Amino acid sequence: MRILYFAWLRGKVGTGEEEITPPVGIATVGQLIDWLKTRSPGYAEAFAQPGLIRAAVNQEYAKLDQAVAASDEVAFFPPVTGG
Amino acid sequence: MRILYFAWLRGKVGTGEEEITPPVGIATVGQLIDWLKTRSPGYAEAFAQPGLIRAAVNQEYAKLDQAVAASDEVAFFPPVTGG
Amino acid sequence: MSVRVQREDFDPGAEIARMTEGRTDVGAVTSFVGLVRGAAGDGSAMTLEHYPGMTERQLSAIEAEACGRWPLLDSLIIHRFGRLNPGDRIVLVAVASSHRAAAFAACEFLIDWLKTRAPFWKLEEGPGGEHWVEAKDDDDDRADRWNKSS
Amino acid sequence: MSVRVQREDFDPGAEIARMTEGRTDVGAVTSFVGLVRGAAGDGSAMTLEHYPGMTERQLSAIEAEACGRWPLLDSLIIHRFGRLNPGDRIVLVAVASSHRAAAFAACEFLIDWLKTRAPFWKLEEGPGGEHWVEAKDDDDDRADRWNKSS
């Protein structure tokens, strides 16, 4: 599974992009976040405030209960500030 | 008094601009219109439908009860269609 | 804040660029360009008549009203007169502000008010001859919106 | 209907002119240009990060939504990324339609939705160092307006 981090999330987790293999049982965006938080204090801090995190699966906005699979591109980022 | 006519009013009265001296007692835009209507069938036709006439005195929109004087520039025209 | 009434065409891009040139306080520029519609070569040209003097005065008054209602950094109205063909530009309204909400509101206000207050009249050439375009109730309604709340 | 995400500057006038070139069905072109604000030389430059791929996809979806809501003849969104200085253009939204009401509504809708949906993030350089710009509730409110009765 390809995971992307943008803006200040990238700084906190320490990378902009990584390939990971989540443990069996990680089936949704929410479960993925819960597992990522256990990987290091940086990850825990990045995802500490769920209200500040937006997720996308395969470049479409996704909610916490959306399914994720090994072949997906999953991205996490703060609320957007373009324009 | 200088009187200007625009768009189809000009066609009906037969001129775009004229200098006139209204009779004593013509003191408002409304009285001026009533007098102009008596000048010829063309004038009568031009002012036949009051709802289709807009007036300006010295280049500012004016209502029927607005005062007019000999030195004024008075204009009559249909509702505007610019833009 | 400026107003131009002219027979010649104008360049919207050059006018918009001029509004922001050398300044860094403008966050938003909105613009509206109105054009003559009609199938090319179908004879649907038109002639725009206006009231020289009163036109400029009314456009300036409309601009002043917009500046009183919104925090604008600059505004521009250019309106053509004379004979125009389908595809020709008629009018440009452009507004610069720090923020987009004011820029959008003022730009739409200016064209709505211009349509009901600026002394221009369209004489259209059609297959059946010339006719003066009638004012639209819809334009009055759009202009009236600005008299309601806020 | 088109979308461009690029590092280079753009020419609003050329883009607007292109939308009407050779056609006579366009009666109204509205445009919005967003620029970086800040006193020149005060160090208030910024860097716009984006999510390549998703950005284009979201902008296209926003455009498709606008085309479904209003009778548009053409639309264009150009958004820059990379380092930008005060006075630099960030974004252009332009819409062509037969009538002005649709052109204004769609243009404002596009920038409102873009601000809350397109994956861009601003990293501002200030006197105290760099900081990520926080999203504004006001932008959410403006975007939400379009979900109410049209």
Side-chain angles (χ1 to χ4, degrees):
Chain A
M1 190 179 292
R2 189 178 179 219
I3 316 276
L4 305 177
Y5 308 92
F6 292 95
W8 53 258
L9 267 93
R10 186 183 56 246
K12 292 201 191 292
V13 303
T15 183
E17 183 175 344
E18 59 185 347
E19 280 288 334
I20 59 161
T21 306
V24 173
I26 302 296
T28 67
V29 170
Q31 289 165 353
L32 180 62
I33 290 175
D34 288 340
W35 174 71
L36 287 168
K37 284 163 77 172
T38 67
R39 297 182 81 202
S40 83
Y43 282 85
E45 200 188 329
F47 291 99
Q49 291 184 264
L52 292 182
I53 308 295
R54 301 290 178 269
V57 175
N58 299 325
Q59 306 188 351
E60 298 286 351
Y61 283 102
K63 294 189 172 166
L64 292 180
D65 60 0
Q66 176 151 342
V68 289
S71 60
D72 286 338
E73 173 178 301
V74 182
F76 297 104
F77 45 79
V80 303
T81 57
Chain B
M1 190 178 292
R2 190 177 179 219
I3 316 276
L4 305 177
Y5 307 93
F6 292 96
W8 54 257
L9 266 94
R10 186 182 55 246
K12 291 200 191 293
V13 303
T15 184
E17 183 175 346
E18 59 184 348
E19 280 289 333
I20 58 159
T21 307
V24 173
I26 302 296
T28 67
V29 170
Q31 289 164 354
L32 180 61
I33 289 175
D34 289 340
W35 175 70
L36 287 168
K37 284 163 76 173
T38 67
R39 296 183 81 201
S40 83
Y43 281 85
E45 199 188 329
F47 291 99
Q49 290 183 265
L52 292 182
I53 309 295
R54 301 292 179 268
V57 175
N58 299 325
Q59 306 188 349
E60 298 287 351
Y61 284 102
K63 294 188 171 165
L64 292 179
D65 61 0
Q66 176 151 343
V68 290
S71 60
D72 286 339
E73 174 178 299
V74 183
F76 297 104
F77 44 80
V80 303
T81 57
Chain C
M1 315 291 149
S2 62
V3 157
R4 300 212 301 266
V5 181
Q6 62 189 43
R7 192 179 289 275
E8 311 78 56
D9 193 14
F10 51 83
D11 178 347
E15 302 298 343
I16 293 171
R18 200 166 296 144
M19 297 185 91
T20 58
E21 222 165 58
R23 61 193 300 175
T24 57
D25 53 345
V26 174
V29 178
T30 52
S31 76
F32 169 84
V33 178
L35 304 104
V36 182
R37 286 187 304 135
D42 73 348
S44 58
M46 66 159 77
T47 300
L48 261 162
E49 180 177 334
H50 76 120
Y51 181 173
M54 182 170 173
T55 309
E56 291 81 352
R57 186 187 288 244
Q58 288 300 316
L59 292 178
S60 294
I62 291 165
E63 244 189 2
E65 178 72 28
C67 289
R69 292 189 182 210
W70 292 279
L72 306 184
L73 295 168
D74 199 4
S75 69
L76 171 66
I77 303 174
I78 303 178
H79 202 300
R80 295 175 71 187
F81 61 87
R83 190 157 184 278
L84 299 171
N85 286 297
D88 284 351
R89 282 177 280 266
I90 305 172
V91 61
L92 169 71
V93 175
V95 171
S97 182
S98 297
H99 297 287
R100 77 184 188 284
F104 269 110
C107 191
E108 196 165 5
F109 168 86
L110 284 171
I111 186 66
D112 283 351
W113 267 38
L114 181 161
K115 286 228 173 216
T116 58
R117 303 217 178 182
F120 287 99
W121 303 274
K122 287 184 182 129
L123 179 64
E124 275 184 356
E125 302 167 24
E130 293 182 339
H131 70 278
W132 291 97
V133 174
E134 280 183 45
K136 284 186 242 154
D137 288 343
D138 181 49
D139 283 333
D140 287 332
D141 294 344
R142 289 187 65 80
D144 280 345
R145 292 182 307 159
W146 302 102
N147 294 326
K148 285 163 198 154
S149 64
S150 88
Chain D
M1 314 294 150
S2 61
V3 157
R4 302 213 299 266
V5 181
Q6 62 189 43
R7 192 178 290 275
E8 311 79 56
D9 193 15
F10 51 82
D11 177 347
E15 302 298 343
I16 293 171
R18 200 167 296 144
M19 297 186 91
T20 59
E21 222 166 58
R23 60 194 299 176
T24 58
D25 53 346
V26 174
V29 178
T30 51
S31 76
F32 169 84
V33 178
L35 304 105
V36 182
R37 286 187 305 135
D42 73 348
S44 58
M46 65 158 78
T47 300
L48 262 161
E49 180 177 334
H50 77 121
Y51 180 174
M54 181 170 174
T55 309
E56 291 82 352
R57 187 186 286 243
Q58 288 299 316
L59 291 178
S60 295
I62 292 166
E63 242 188 3
E65 177 71 28
C67 288
R69 292 189 181 210
W70 292 279
L72 306 184
L73 295 168
D74 199 3
S75 67
L76 170 67
I77 303 173
I78 304 178
H79 202 300
R80 296 175 69 187
F81 61 87
R83 190 157 185 276
L84 299 171
N85 286 298
D88 284 352
R89 283 178 279 266
I90 305 171
V91 60
L92 169 71
V93 175
V95 171
S97 181
S98 297
H99 297 287
R100 78 185 187 284
F104 268 109
C107 190
E108 197 165 5
F109 168 86
L110 284 171
I111 186 66
D112 284 350
W113 266 38
L114 181 160
K115 286 227 172 217
T116 59
R117 303 216 178 184
F120 287 98
W121 303 275
K122 288 185 181 126
L123 180 65
E124 276 183 355
E125 302 166 23
E130 293 181 339
H131 70 278
W132 291 97
V133 174
E134 280 183 45
K136 283 186 241 153
D137 289 342
D138 182 47
D139 283 333
D140 287 333
D141 294 344
R142 290 187 64 81
D144 280 346
R145 291 182 306 157
W146 300 104
N147 295 326
K148 287 164 196 152
S149 63
S150 64

